[in-house]
Amino acid sequence: MTLADLDWRVVGPERHPGPLTMALEEVAAETAAAGGPATVRVYTWPDALSLGYNQDPDSVDWTFCEREGIGVTRRPTGGGAIYHDGHADLSYGIVAPAEAVPGDLLDCYELFCGPILDTLEGIGIDAAFVSGEREAVHQPACYLRALHPAHDVVGPDGRKLAGNAQYRQRDAVVQHGSLSVSLRPERHCGCFAGEPDPVAFRERVGAIDEYVDVRRSEVVETLTETLTEWVDAEAGAWTDDELARARELADEKYAADEWVRRSP
């Protein structure tokens, strides 16, 4: 079985609270593993901080996040925390049965990151996987961690432009990623207790609107079309059962303190 053998749906663009956003990906994995459609999705977070699976909650400035109206949840994927700005950040997800993708993690990253690199090329950015590892600037922050050639995408000047992560759930593979459309370094850095330097953030992280003159709506449209064409997906939506299951997961897991504030 290959990706071409699957029935695919494209969902989005959409915006949900952080806990529901993560719950929907888990439900999509359940659907794919049970023989339902595989899913590509495009979404935006409403000003949220997503912690990596093993993130230390003490690395978060909880007072800042509460004061600024930044929701906090925890991803099932590893890495550091990411501030998903409601305008500056754009995210995607790819969910497929495990038997249809390469078993080797690096090969799977290369396959799933193809449409992301194509999207950036489509809007005029010469992006690529980072050519070599680079040391961390601030370990708790995903965009300031050490860069890795397997999943970190950089712009033409070498600054990080997109991060990607994978996990396996119920015999399905989930990859999601974040693309920086624009930057708000002070707000991003303010989410962390260690107070990373916004100047150092700008030196490490780039944004789409710094490389090309393009509207956010064009980036969203290009990403959606590229993912759709990549797997020949049909326009789709979450079923009522999926939404009900996702809301249950969001309440019981992704919004619960036992999940969000748990120690590694």
Side-chain angles (χ1 to χ4, degrees):
M1 178 184 290
T2 67
L3 298 185
D5 298 319
L6 303 174
D7 291 326
W8 286 87
R9 64 179 171 180
V10 56
V11 179
E14 60 180 350
R15 183 195 301 255
H16 298 291
L20 184 56
T21 293
M22 290 293 89
L24 284 166
E25 278 189 347
E26 184 169 338
V27 169
E30 294 174 355
T31 296
T39 301
V40 288
R41 63 188 297 230
V42 176
Y43 58 94
T44 301
W45 303 67
D47 284 10
L49 185 71
S50 70
L51 310 186
Y53 182 75
N54 290 315
Q55 185 96 27
D56 186 344
D58 290 341
S59 65
V60 177
D61 187 331
W62 295 95
T63 301
F64 177 88
C65 291
E66 183 176 356
R67 184 179 71 242
E68 297 297 320
I70 298 171
V72 183
T73 189
R74 185 180 292 271
R75 304 187 309 274
T77 50
I82 304 175
Y83 168 59
H84 304 276
D85 187 275
H87 176 78
D89 177 273
L90 178 61
S91 294
Y92 76 91
I94 301 171
V95 185
E99 62 182 346
V101 305
D104 181 80
L105 180 63
L106 298 185
D107 289 343
C108 197
Y109 267 127
E110 184 175 2
L111 176 64
F112 279 9
C113 287
I116 307 310
L117 292 168
D118 289 345
T119 294
L120 295 170
E121 181 182 0
I123 58 176
I125 298 177
D126 183 18
F129 290 114
V130 64
S131 59
E133 293 191 23
R134 300 181 194 169
E135 65 181 17
V137 176
H138 184 75
Q139 188 68 13
C142 185
Y143 271 78
L144 298 180
R145 289 167 72 92
L147 300 187
H148 196 287
H151 47 69
D152 287 321
V153 173
V154 296
D157 57 0
R159 289 185 296 159
K160 183 170 178 177
L161 192 54
N164 308 276
Q166 261 186 46
Y167 71 103
R168 293 186 179 239
Q169 172 77 33
R170 296 182 184 273
D171 298 321
V173 172
V174 178
Q175 178 167 308
H176 53 205
S178 170
L179 289 74
S180 295
V181 179
S182 56
L183 296 181
R184 297 179 71 184
E186 289 76 16
R187 191 166 170 84
H188 198 133
C189 292
C191 294
F192 297 92
E195 300 181 358
D197 182 5
V199 174
F201 186 92
R202 284 193 177 276
E203 292 174 349
R204 170 58 65 91
V205 184
I208 289 171
D209 66 2
E210 294 182 320
Y211 299 118
V212 291
D213 182 13
V214 62
R215 296 190 302 273
R216 175 185 168 84
S217 60
E218 293 178 55
V219 181
V220 173
E221 182 179 358
T222 302
L223 176 60
T224 305
E225 290 180 351
T226 303
L227 285 169
T228 300
E229 294 172 2
W230 178 59
V231 288
D232 193 23
E234 298 287 340
W238 307 113
T239 67
D240 290 343
D241 287 345
E242 285 177 317
L243 286 170
R245 167 70 173 144
R247 291 187 181 109
E248 179 184 3
L249 270 175
D251 290 341
E252 295 181 358
K253 178 179 179 179
Y254 290 102
D257 279 351
E258 294 81 2
W259 171 258
V260 178
R261 293 179 182 253
R262 68 177 180 82
S263 297

